[in-house]
């Protein structure tokens, strides 16, 4: 058989495509095998899920307090960018009416104006951000339910920011380094063009420590632990008081509770 | 076949242009044929793997460490001699090596124009003052943004930018 | 075949030079954006997708709309489209290519795009989108080059091209459906959370596609380059009319559901777009203009006295095209993000940097269209003579 130049070019193009397809198929198979299993409520032993309960009654005693946020910034090299369009936020204060729009009333307005209401990533049971990420740069860790991020892999498509109903994610619109006052050499900074968010201090948990915000709060307002263990601090705190979660009706299963 | 001369000389020019980066690199390597002066750690004699392996495959090992730590929460590295290390660029590698006198020198010599690890990972020695080099120069009155900007964009890194851009051009600063 | 693109008059080269210049301008601006950071665009933490992704959606639609000529010609044997089908396919292919460029420029780390295929996550619609879009471009590239090739040889195209053409029909529907699915499956964005999104997208896509093809055909006739025939233009007008009617009908359905149920989160977005919210009414005039354009186009398409004035046809097509462009290419994104999840009316208006990049991609698309049409028409003319 005679192979013309054109045939040769076509053939080589096709084989490149085929090689790519095989690789994609194999990786898809691997991805399918490690698919996310339901965390809880599907029979068997409950899966571990880390959760947080923030006692707003204690926060209300300390108007203007932002110690937890400072601790987080220092631990994770979160830049302080003045321009609100490019801000990077892991844990931050927001007005009650914006955090819980449906619970808003004249009373909440009176009680909550000016007092801190910390919000952060909810490490959801069914995280919308994980569902949409095209690269697996964000995923839900099966051991403890933390919604993790891999900044090496993120392509900066921002789909996760679009999908998160809590605006818990920030994009690095500018190089963050010049905006970090004191750098913690133990934790990486981020590069321009990737998305970041709270990681429940996965790196501190690995070293046997509590999250930075939990440790920093002088009023012990933040309880943290495994929500499938009834004796964990978070379960004890929640069983003693009434609490709210942000937009539970969306079915995302947020794991940050606010004790009002 | 009158065109033969033109065709062949055109081809030659084409090949020359196509391969010029290699010639350029060769010429440069020849000019700087003195091998880099690497400063080895004073307090250690043995790396996490034999020298030959590290020389050839440290990049692959770092990538593996990265996947293990970030994606599998696995921080323990058992070395070939049974010693246990933490999988950490900052703590383990830079715990012994100096970035400037070891990593950078060899990368510069071999023309590996900066793996972008350092866009995010820190060199604790350099941070003695607790301040990023960027923040330092920003406070000193000007910040050479181009340097770090270009490292993000591999295609353009080959030229060494010297122009200083005023800090105001950073979009984050203008309201 | 490419040599055909190199034979042109002064007018042609001026036009090509102009498009090249604008493309390069866009390219340089994009490189600048990548170097300083996407912070130089007007995108924000609250509105992370803006003009780029809006344009992406619009151009995927334009790409899918090749179907409005391919389907009647191949499936129903409409001879009137004999001359225009190939042009429609080329337009579709180039549009989808432009759509892919729009995704590319909106990414924070475009050099890592390969991660999408290297670590495929089929649960993400972007994974599917990248696959169906590149598949569509490939499919159309194979079909159009093979058809042109055989026309030049003076033989009938091989039988398998017909199979590929048939495949491209559902494929065209799929690209826009997947694009709609990117948006309409997100609990976070009530404005997009509607099963009508994909049908609406298709209706508006076919409207803009038929209108643009009719405009291009009229333009080429005017310039004396090529005449697709009056009948084809009239049929395109009919298609645009019905698609536009369907689109308006779908829109009114949305509006009824939102305003009769009055769920605050759903009302807020439409309020913001068409009337303004908290004193921020940047988009109200544009969205009203878009609605007005749609109505004007419909009036010209439907009222007999206006319909018969052939001088009005280009106007109607332009109205229809720009109405869709404003609604989909800009309003769709802004409406989805404002007000934000925190109920804040965030401001986003594309800035010069974004417009420059968009202009660059438009110019590049126009360049591809010019060159490819030139080749196609020259090959045809040669084969005929
Ligand atoms: S709060 Fe947002 S970012 Fe965090 S897990 Fe839930 S969806 Fe993802
Ligand atoms: S921006 Fe990064 S983390 Fe978010 S969806 Fe895209 S690749 Fe995933």
């Amino acid at each position: 058989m005679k192979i013309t130049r054109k045939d040769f070019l076509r053939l080589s193009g096709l084989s490149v495509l085929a090689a790519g397809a095989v690789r994609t198929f194999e990786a898809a198979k691997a991805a399918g095998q490690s698919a996310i299993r339901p965390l809880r409520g599907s029979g068997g032993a409950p899966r571990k899920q880390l959760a947080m309960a923030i006692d707003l009654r204690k926060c209300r005693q300390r108007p203007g307090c932002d110690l937890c946020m400072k601790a987080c910034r220092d631990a994770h090299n979160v830049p302080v960018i003045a321009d609100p369009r490019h801000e990077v936020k892991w844990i931050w204060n927001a007005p009650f009416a914006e955090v819980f729009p449906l619970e808003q009333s004249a009373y909440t307005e009176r009680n909550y104006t000016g007092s801190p209401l910390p919000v952060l990533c909810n490490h959801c049971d069914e995280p919308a951000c994980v569902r949409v990420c095209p690269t697996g740069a964000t995923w839900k860790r099966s051991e403890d339910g933390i919604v993790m991020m891999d900044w090496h892999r993120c392509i900066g498509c921002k789909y996760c920011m679009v999908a998160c109903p809590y605006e818990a994610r920030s994009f690095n619109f500018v190089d963050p380094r010049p905006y970090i006052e004191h750098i913690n050499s133990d934790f990486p900074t981020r590069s321009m063009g990737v998305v970041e968010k709270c990681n429940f201090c996965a790196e501190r948990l690995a070293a046997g420590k509590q999250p930075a915000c939990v440790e920093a709060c002088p009023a012990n307002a933040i309880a943290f632990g495994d929500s499938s263990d009834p004796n964990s601090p978070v379960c004890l705190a929640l069983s003693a008081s009434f609490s709210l979660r942000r937009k539970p009706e969306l079915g995302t299963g947020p794991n940050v509770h606010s004790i009002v | 076949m009158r065109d033969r001369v033109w065709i062949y000389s055109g081809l030659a020019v084409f090949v020359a242009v196509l391969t010029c980066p290699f010639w350029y690199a060769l010429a440069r390597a020849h000019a700087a044929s003195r091998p880099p002066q690497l400063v080895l750690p004073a307090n250690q004699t043995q790396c996490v793997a034999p020298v030959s392996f590290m020389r050839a495959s440290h990049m692959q090992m770092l990538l593996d460490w990265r996947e293990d730590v970030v994606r599998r929460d696995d921080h323990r590295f058992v070395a070939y001699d049974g010693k246990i290390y933490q999988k950490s660029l900052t703590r383990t590698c830079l715990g012994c090596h100096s970035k400037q006198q070891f990593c950078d020198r060899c990368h510069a010599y071999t023309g590996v124009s900066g793996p972008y690890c350092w866009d995010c990972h820190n060199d604790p020695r350099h941070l003695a003052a607790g301040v990023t080099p960027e923040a330092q120069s920003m406070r000193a009155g000007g910040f050479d943004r181009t340097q770090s900007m270009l490292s993000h964009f591999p295609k353009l890194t080959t030229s060494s930018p010297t122009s200083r851009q005023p800090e105001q051009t950073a979009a984050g600063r203008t309201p | 075949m490419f040599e055909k693109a190199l034979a042109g008059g002064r007018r042609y080269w001026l036009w090509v030079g102009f498009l090249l210049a604008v493309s390069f301008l866009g390219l340089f601006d994009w490189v600048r954006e990548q170097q300083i950071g996407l912070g130089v665009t007007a995108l924000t933490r609250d509105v992370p997708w803006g003009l780029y992704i809006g344009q992406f959606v619009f151009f995927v639609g334009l790409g899918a709309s090749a179907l409005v000529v391919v389907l009647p010609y191949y499936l129903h044997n409409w001879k009137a489209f004999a001359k225009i089908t190939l042009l429609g396919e080329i337009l579709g292919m180039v549009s989808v290519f432009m759509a892919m460029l729009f995704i590319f420029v909106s990414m924070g780390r475009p050099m890592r795009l390969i991660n999408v295929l290297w670590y495929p996550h089929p649960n993400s619609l972007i994974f599917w989108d990248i696959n169906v879009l590149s598949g569509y471009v490939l499919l159309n590239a194979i079909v159009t080059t093979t058809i042109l090739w055989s026309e030049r040889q003076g033989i009938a195209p091989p039988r398998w091209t017909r199979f590929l053409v048939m495949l491209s029909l559902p494929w065209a529907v799929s690209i826009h459906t997947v694009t709609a699915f990117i948006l309409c499956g997100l609990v976070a964005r009530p404005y997009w959370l509607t099963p009508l999104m994909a049908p609406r997208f298709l209706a508006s896509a076919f409207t803009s596609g038929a209108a643009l093809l009719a405009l291009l055909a009229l333009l080429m006739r005017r310039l004396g380059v090529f005449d697709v025939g009056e009948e084809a233009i009239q049929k395109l007008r009919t298609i645009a009319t019905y698609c536009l009617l369907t689109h308006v009908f779908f829109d009114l359905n949305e509006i009824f559901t939102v305003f009769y149920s009055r769920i605050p989160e759903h009302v807020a977005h439409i309020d913001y777009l068409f009337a303004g919210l908290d004193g921020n009414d940047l988009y109200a005039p544009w969205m009203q203009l878009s609605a007005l354009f749609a109505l004007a186009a419909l009036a010209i398409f439907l009222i007999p006295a206006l319909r018969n004035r052939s001088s009005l046809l280009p106007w109607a097509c332009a109205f229809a095209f720009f109405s869709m462009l404003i609604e989909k290419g800009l309003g769709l994104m802004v409406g989805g993000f404002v007000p934000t999840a925190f109920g804040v009316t965030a401001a986003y208006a594309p800035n010069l940097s974004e417009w420059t990049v968009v202009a660059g991609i438009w110019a590049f698309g126009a360049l591809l269209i010019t060159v490819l049409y030139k080749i196609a028409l020259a090959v045809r003319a040669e084969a005929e003579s």
Side-chain angles (χ1 to χ4, degrees):
Chain A
M1 194 181 95
K2 185 167 161 279
I3 294 189
T4 65
R5 190 175 45 217
K6 212 167 75 203
D7 287 339
F8 172 74
L9 286 177
R10 274 191 196 140
L11 271 179
S12 32
L14 276 179
S15 34
V16 168
L17 276 182
V22 167
R23 157 78 210 182
T24 304
F25 176 73
E26 277 170 356
K29 223 167 57 185
Q33 279 156 0
S34 65
I36 314 161
R37 277 152 293 171
L39 280 167
R40 279 174 290 177
S42 60
R47 307 270 314 231
K48 187 173 173 189
Q49 167 69 56
L50 293 176
M52 191 175 264
I54 305 177
D55 195 337
L56 297 182
R57 296 169 303 190
K58 292 181 182 161
C59 292
R60 274 201 299 274
Q61 308 293 318
R62 310 172 54 87
C65 176
D66 67 345
L67 290 176
C68 50
M69 293 143 211
K70 272 217 179 77
C72 176
R73 280 205 297 269
D74 290 345
H76 300 117
N77 297 324
V78 179
V80 183
I81 300 175
D83 185 344
R85 300 180 310 153
H86 301 151
E87 245 179 309
V88 174
K89 305 195 255 195
W90 284 38
I91 175 170
W92 71 103
N93 271 326
F96 187 91
E98 289 177 11
V99 181
F100 298 109
L102 299 179
E103 276 77 14
Q104 177 190 14
S105 73
Y107 297 103
T108 62
E109 210 177 317
R110 197 185 60 209
N111 289 342
Y112 279 92
T113 305
S115 55
L117 201 177
V119 288
L120 62 154
C121 167
N122 291 290
H123 297 272
C124 303
D125 289 342
E126 293 285 344
C129 55
V130 170
R131 204 179 306 154
V132 301
C133 178
T135 61
T138 191
W139 76 99
K140 189 162 180 71
R141 202 152 83 173
S142 51
E143 306 93 273
D144 53 12
I146 295 185
V147 173
M148 293 286 291
M149 274 213 68
D150 182 348
W151 296 304
H152 307 98
R153 196 180 281 189
C154 174
I155 59 172
C157 65
K158 301 174 244 125
Y159 198 5
C160 52
M161 297 174 74
V162 178
C164 169
Y166 307 102
E167 304 219 343
R169 293 176 161 260
S170 310
F171 181 74
N172 282 283
F173 281 102
V174 291
D175 179 12
R177 276 202 174 174
Y179 300 92
I180 305 170
E181 271 290 297
H182 294 282
I183 208 150
N184 167 12
S185 69
D186 250 0
F187 199 78
T189 62
R190 266 70 63 196
S191 66
M192 195 161 66
V194 302
V195 165
E196 63 181 85
K197 69 167 192 76
C198 155
N199 66 347
F200 258 4
C201 282
E203 82 288 356
R204 291 172 59 96
L205 298 177
K209 289 191 266 190
Q210 286 283 296
C213 53
V214 175
E215 208 177 84
C217 177
N220 275 330
I222 308 180
F224 183 77
D226 178 7
S227 69
S228 66
D229 166 12
N231 294 317
S232 68
V234 67
C235 284
L236 293 177
L238 287 175
S239 54
S241 317
F242 179 72
S243 61
L244 293 175
R245 289 187 302 166
R246 294 174 68 193
K247 301 188 181 172
E249 71 276 12
L250 298 182
T252 42
N255 282 305
V256 172
H257 306 252
S258 300
I259 297 174
V260 288
Chain B
M1 287 275 79
R2 283 178 290 129
D3 295 337
R4 181 173 282 163
V5 184
W6 293 109
I7 291 174
Y8 282 114
S9 51
L11 264 179
V13 169
F14 175 71
V15 169
V17 169
L18 202 69
T19 52
C20 71
F22 298 104
W23 304 123
Y24 177 67
L26 263 183
R28 256 184 46 160
H30 202 73
S33 59
R34 210 153 38 90
Q37 298 295 306
L38 300 185
V39 177
L40 293 174
N43 52 347
Q44 293 283 343
T45 50
Q46 185 53 59
C47 196
V48 298
V51 174
S52 58
F53 176 85
M54 291 310 286
R55 201 169 276 162
S57 316
H58 65 283
M59 191 56 217
Q60 191 52 48
M61 197 189 73
L62 283 173
L63 288 177
D64 291 345
W65 279 17
R66 169 182 105 183
E67 295 286 296
D68 286 346
V69 170
V70 179
R71 304 191 72 92
R72 288 185 269 280
D73 199 15
D74 167 9
H75 305 255
R76 242 168 66 107
F77 178 71
V78 184
Y80 69 112
D81 57 0
K83 261 177 99 176
I84 292 185
Y85 295 93
Q86 185 185 5
K87 291 175 181 165
S88 166
L89 172 66
T90 306
R91 289 199 204 154
T92 304
C93 306
L94 295 190
C96 297
H97 290 287
S98 151
K99 171 180 173 292
Q100 268 114 354
Q101 292 167 350
F102 186 77
C103 314
D104 290 354
R105 281 188 188 170
C106 195
H107 284 156
Y109 173 69
T110 49
V112 180
S113 55
Y116 57 52
C117 312
W118 313 109
D119 282 7
C120 299
H121 291 277
N122 307 298
D123 175 7
R125 276 168 244 233
H126 207 73
L127 290 176
V131 175
T132 54
E134 288 90 341
Q136 252 167 1
S137 62
M138 201 159 117
R139 261 182 245 149
F143 165 55
D144 194 345
R145 219 156 233 293
T146 15
Q147 194 73 47
S148 62
M149 278 172 340
L150 287 174
S151 62
H152 159 65
F153 208 73
K155 287 257 170 63
L156 298 179
T157 41
T158 39
S159 67
S160 64
T162 45
S163 64
R164 282 177 90 81
Q165 248 178 303
E167 181 208 320
Q168 286 84 277
T169 51
R173 318 248 81 194
T174 45
Chain C
M1 277 193 284
F2 187 74
E3 74 281 359
K4 298 274 185 292
L6 299 177
R10 214 176 108 82
R11 206 171 54 175
Y12 171 74
W13 284 112
L14 270 179
W15 173 239
V16 167
F18 166 73
L19 292 178
L20 265 178
V22 180
S23 310
F24 272 111
L25 197 68
L27 181 69
F28 284 131
D29 195 53
W30 172 71
V31 170
R32 193 183 121 251
E33 269 178 19
Q34 287 297 319
Q35 290 180 342
I36 307 182
L38 281 178
V40 296
T41 66
L43 294 170
T44 69
R45 197 179 181 280
D46 292 327
V47 188
W49 283 356
L51 185 63
Y52 293 158
I53 300 290
Q55 294 288 307
F56 151 72
V57 173
F58 181 79
F59 276 96
V60 172
L62 214 50
S65 69
L67 183 135
V68 300
V69 285
V70 176
L71 187 138
Y73 179 64
Y74 279 94
L75 225 50
H76 299 283
N77 244 330
W78 280 22
K79 288 291 175 240
F81 280 171
K83 286 179 167 175
I84 205 174
T85 301
L86 188 67
L87 302 187
E89 281 168 332
I90 294 178
L91 180 65
M93 175 174 77
V94 172
S95 304
V96 171
F97 185 69
M98 288 167 73
M100 291 166 78
L101 287 184
F102 277 117
I103 296 205
F104 196 68
V105 296
S106 82
M107 284 170 50
R109 310 285 306 206
M111 297 307 159
R112 294 183 185 166
L113 183 63
I114 193 66
N115 282 0
V116 176
L117 299 176
W118 209 244
Y119 308 104
H121 278 69
N123 47 345
S124 171
L125 269 307
I126 286 191
F127 168 76
W128 292 101
D129 211 40
I130 287 184
N131 280 308
V132 290
L133 290 183
S134 31
Y136 189 72
V137 171
L138 199 69
L139 204 59
N140 273 305
I142 295 176
V143 167
T144 47
T145 41
T146 317
I147 288 182
L148 268 183
W149 199 264
S150 358
E151 277 188 15
R152 189 151 100 148
Q153 314 287 326
I155 52 175
R159 288 184 63 82
W160 51 264
T161 46
R162 200 180 155 76
F163 168 74
L164 289 190
V165 169
M166 291 300 154
L167 184 63
S168 80
L169 294 176
W171 204 296
V173 176
S174 85
I175 58 172
H176 217 18
T177 306
V178 173
T179 306
F181 284 179
I182 289 184
L183 305 176
C184 72
L186 304 176
V187 283
R189 310 289 164 191
Y191 180 60
W192 298 336
L193 195 64
T194 159
L196 210 51
M197 184 72 100
R200 227 172 84 197
F201 269 16
L202 286 168
S204 65
F206 295 159
T207 311
S208 48
L212 183 63
L213 265 181
L215 269 180
L216 285 178
L218 289 169
L219 183 75
M220 286 191 291
R221 183 154 78 182
R222 183 82 185 250
L223 293 176
V225 183
F226 184 62
D227 190 0
V228 296
E230 183 60 21
E231 201 192 343
I233 295 181
Q234 289 310 323
K235 293 217 150 152
L236 280 175
R237 163 226 276 274
T238 314
I239 293 172
T241 311
Y242 283 105
C243 291
L244 183 55
L245 268 178
T246 316
H247 174 71
V248 172
F249 174 67
F250 283 165
D251 266 7
L252 292 177
N253 271 287
E254 293 276 9
I255 296 214
F256 170 79
T257 312
V258 167
F259 281 95
Y260 198 79
S261 68
R262 301 218 189 152
I263 301 175
E265 282 183 330
H266 290 246
V267 176
H269 297 282
I270 298 189
D271 262 356
Y272 169 68
L273 277 183
F274 284 91
L277 209 64
D278 303 336
N280 183 341
D281 57 358
L282 188 61
Y283 288 92
W286 290 102
M287 293 308 285
Q288 288 161 6
L289 192 70
S290 162
L292 206 71
F293 275 179
L295 293 182
L298 269 188
I300 300 177
F301 280 150
L302 289 176
I303 299 173
L306 302 175
R307 192 169 55 198
N308 295 331
R309 301 249 294 269
S310 61
S311 61
L312 283 180
L313 180 60
W315 285 101
C317 290
F319 283 151
F321 182 81
F322 282 106
S323 168
M324 301 299 123
L325 181 60
I326 297 171
E327 185 184 326
K328 232 175 168 177
L330 192 55
L332 178 74
M333 280 303 127
V334 185
F337 292 114
V338 187
T340 67
F342 284 94
V344 179
T345 312
Y348 164 76
N351 65 12
L352 189 64
S353 189
E354 283 164 278
W355 286 115
T356 313
V357 172
V358 167
I361 297 182
W362 274 65
F364 189 61
L367 181 69
L368 287 180
I369 290 281
T370 308
V371 168
L372 293 177
Y373 274 19
K374 174 134 188 114
I375 295 175
L377 297 180
V379 167
R380 284 232 157 131
E382 202 181 72
E384 267 162 27
S385 63

